[in-house]
Amino acid sequence: MADNTQQPANTAAAPVDEVANLRVSSEVEQNITPWTVEGAVVNGEQQAVDYNKLIAQFGTRKITTELLERFTAATGHQPHLYLRRGIFFSHRDLEKILDRYEQGKPFYLYTGRGPSRGHMHVGHMTPFIFCKWLQDVFDVPLVVQLTDDEKFLFKKELTIDQVHKYAVDTVREIAAVGFKPEKTFIFSNMDYMGGAFYRNVLQISNLVTLSQAKSAFGFVGESNIGQVHFPSIQAAPALCSTFPGIFGSRRDAACLIPCGIDQDPYFRITRDVCPRLKHPKPSLLHARFLPALQGSKSKMSSSIDSSAIFMNDTPAQIKNKINRYAFSGGRTSLEEHRMYGGDPDVDVAYQFLTYFVEDDQELEQLATGYRKGEISTGEMKARCIKVLQEFVADFQNREKAITQEQVEQFMDPNFPRHFASLSNSNNNSGKK
């Protein structure tokens, strides 16, 4: 999927059926697209992303306590920390996926990555960690799209050989999250394009007008034709018939897409065309952005080393980056901090801990202690450093254990992937 490259101009919601009647207040100045993440500017100062405004702007629904209770009732599992802490905060039709699970009807997971440099950062890990948990809960296939073609089209400084190498290299990183090739298909668009995949790309592109693409993505006269066509390529994996090696001739398997909220424009258009292609509309789960080290007004960037913790960083690099760059919610002096306390809601070290500390009680104690001034900024950063050093080191050890044979198995569309819910491989019915 797209990964914050440059680009087309400011964009609003796509003019598709389900969002056609939405009206967004002129006060909404933030710009969230597949290529740009910028908070609003108020009185000359940039603000953090307003996720409630995004829900209204994009026409999605908030993940509520009632929906999480329904999730537990359907699956027998307590919600992942990303759900109960609001990191995944918005959805489209999650309840329909839960209905399918209860009824034994087939569905699968779809996410992606568009690598533009050598290694993932911790922000890239969020959808993969979550997908691994969802796959374990539901026991369903996962398809991972590597958008090397998108990177070539949008990143003018990259060659076609570079983007393909980055895509193949990142398979090892994705595998290190804990996925298994018998349940997971990871594909480079440049390698897998053709056959059923390309047929679906063509059918989707035939149903989306240029005016819709311009409105949804902000394309302008200088946009190359590959950029304008790319959304149909990212949409196609949301149709199960794109993967005959997994689904046979079925057209009824639904799709659940965990992704950053900036990717939603692709799938608004996808949801509009799916019924016309006799496939179920995909469901979505939207994540907040893990903030850059400099604070919540921007997200981590692969092109800015000081903004992110990368998965190949050493313990010393992690310590230096957190101590030097992580925005603090504390006071200007330790004396003031002890007296008035700090704000964990803007403190980057604490925000990182909400993604990587499993224990809710520990997290609450850290927040309460910080607000009271009992925990200093230095102590909060020290805890964050330790957690991230352990997380990254464990990941690096797993990555080293991934073999080239496993990489090839993940990328083989014909590698055996058998699921009981897909036993009726000749079901061609499309259901909304």
Side-chain angles (χ1 to χ4, degrees):
M1 294 184 181
D3 177 30
N4 237 29
T5 45
Q6 300 197 323
Q7 292 309 340
N10 196 358
T11 156
V16 295
D17 295 344
E18 64 190 280
V19 294
N21 296 320
L22 284 177
R23 293 293 180 269
V24 181
S25 166
S26 62
E27 296 178 1
V28 178
E29 300 173 0
Q30 60 188 4
N31 183 23
I32 309 299
T33 78
W35 304 281
T36 304
V37 175
E38 296 172 344
V41 176
V42 178
N43 296 324
E45 201 165 306
Q46 191 168 31
Q47 309 296 304
V49 174
D50 187 328
Y51 291 100
N52 288 327
K53 285 185 177 179
L54 277 182
I55 288 174
Q57 180 185 0
F58 286 179
T60 67
R61 288 185 290 162
K62 186 176 181 180
I63 295 176
T64 62
T65 301
E66 292 74 20
L67 185 58
L68 294 183
E69 290 172 350
R70 169 82 198 286
F71 184 97
T72 299
T75 66
H77 290 264
Q78 291 299 314
H80 190 273
L81 66 89
Y82 288 175
L83 287 170
R84 61 181 191 263
R85 293 177 188 166
I87 292 168
F88 277 85
F89 69 102
S90 164
H91 76 104
R92 293 185 187 275
D93 291 344
L94 177 59
E95 69 281 356
K96 292 186 178 181
I97 294 295
L98 297 177
D99 289 343
R100 280 182 165 266
Y101 182 70
E102 290 173 325
Q103 296 162 9
K105 294 181 178 179
F107 64 94
Y108 65 105
L109 301 170
Y110 162 35
T111 195
R113 168 150 161 69
S116 59
R117 60 165 288 172
H119 292 277
M120 292 200 291
H121 57 59
V122 292
H124 292 137
M125 296 292 288
T126 302
F128 294 111
I129 292 170
F130 191 50
C131 278
K132 178 63 172 69
W133 181 81
L134 288 171
Q135 190 179 54
D136 289 344
V137 168
F138 291 126
D139 189 27
V140 293
L142 166 67
V143 297
V144 181
Q145 182 184 52
L146 303 178
T147 57
D148 40 10
D149 51 348
E150 182 261 350
K151 280 295 167 283
F152 177 68
L153 293 168
F154 285 87
K155 290 273 193 179
K156 298 301 184 183
E157 70 276 15
L158 296 177
T159 68
I160 200 163
D161 291 333
Q162 284 177 315
V163 296
H164 184 255
K165 182 180 186 303
Y166 290 149
V168 174
D169 288 348
T170 206
V171 175
R172 196 178 300 273
E173 293 182 301
I174 295 169
V177 175
F179 298 111
K180 302 297 181 186
E182 58 267 23
K183 293 188 176 184
T184 307
F185 176 42
I186 306 174
F187 61 98
S188 148
N189 279 346
M190 295 201 313
D191 289 342
Y192 187 58
M193 183 66 71
F197 185 13
Y198 190 52
R199 285 196 294 273
N200 280 339
V201 168
L202 288 175
Q203 291 185 92
I204 292 166
S205 62
N206 193 40
L207 294 174
V208 180
T209 67
L210 180 60
S211 62
Q212 282 181 307
K214 285 181 176 180
S215 180
F217 301 102
F219 295 127
V220 293
E222 291 72 29
S223 301
N224 66 56
I225 59 175
Q227 293 172 348
V228 176
H229 181 249
F230 176 74
S232 61
I233 298 174
Q234 184 155 321
L239 282 64
C240 68
S241 60
T242 296
F243 306 102
I246 300 174
F247 299 103
S249 59
R250 300 191 77 123
R251 302 173 72 87
D252 66 326
C255 181
L256 174 60
I257 307 171
C259 61
I261 186 68
D262 57 331
Q263 301 296 302
D264 188 72
Y266 287 111
F267 301 113
R268 288 200 297 271
I269 284 180
T270 309
R271 284 168 58 86
D272 190 46
V273 302
C274 273
R276 288 184 275 173
L277 297 176
K278 296 182 169 54
H279 283 72
K281 292 182 178 182
S283 299
L284 286 94
L285 286 165
H286 304 113
R288 297 172 181 264
F289 307 115
L290 184 65
L293 286 165
Q294 288 73 19
S296 59
K297 297 175 185 178
S298 61
K299 73 171 189 175
M300 289 187 176
S301 171
S302 294
S303 60
I304 305 174
D305 186 74
S306 62
S307 75
I309 303 297
F310 289 89
M311 299 310 295
N312 65 327
D313 279 349
T314 66
Q317 287 174 317
I318 293 170
K319 181 178 180 179
N320 177 63
K321 286 182 178 181
I322 296 295
N323 282 331
R324 185 175 181 182
Y325 300 116
F327 183 83
S328 168
R331 301 288 175 167
T332 55
S333 70
L334 182 58
E335 182 180 3
E336 283 188 8
H337 186 83
R338 295 297 189 202
M339 185 177 299
Y340 301 111
D343 183 358
D345 295 333
V346 300
D347 187 88
V348 166
Y350 176 78
Q351 292 304 311
F352 283 11
L353 290 171
T354 65
Y355 283 72
F356 298 105
V357 170
E358 178 69 35
D359 190 334
D360 291 337
Q361 185 175 1
E362 178 190 352
L363 207 61
E364 180 59 33
Q365 289 172 347
L366 287 169
T368 300
Y370 199 65
R371 290 190 178 97
K372 291 181 177 180
E374 296 169 355
I375 295 175
S376 69
T377 293
E379 290 167 330
M380 188 71 80
K381 286 188 174 184
R383 179 62 179 138
C384 180
I385 290 166
K386 183 174 187 298
V387 168
L388 287 179
Q389 285 175 334
E390 291 175 353
F391 174 77
V392 172
D394 287 346
F395 171 86
Q396 290 171 352
N397 288 333
R398 293 195 303 272
E399 185 184 7
K400 290 176 184 176
I402 302 298
T403 66
Q404 181 59 32
E405 181 183 13
Q406 289 173 309
V407 169
E408 293 169 1
Q409 290 172 346
F410 277 108
M411 299 188 76
D412 181 355
N414 299 312
F415 189 80
R417 297 177 175 95
H418 301 300
F419 292 85
S421 62
L422 303 177
S423 58
N424 181 11
S425 61
N426 293 315
N427 189 329
N428 289 306
S429 62
K431 301 179 181 179
K432 297 182 182 180

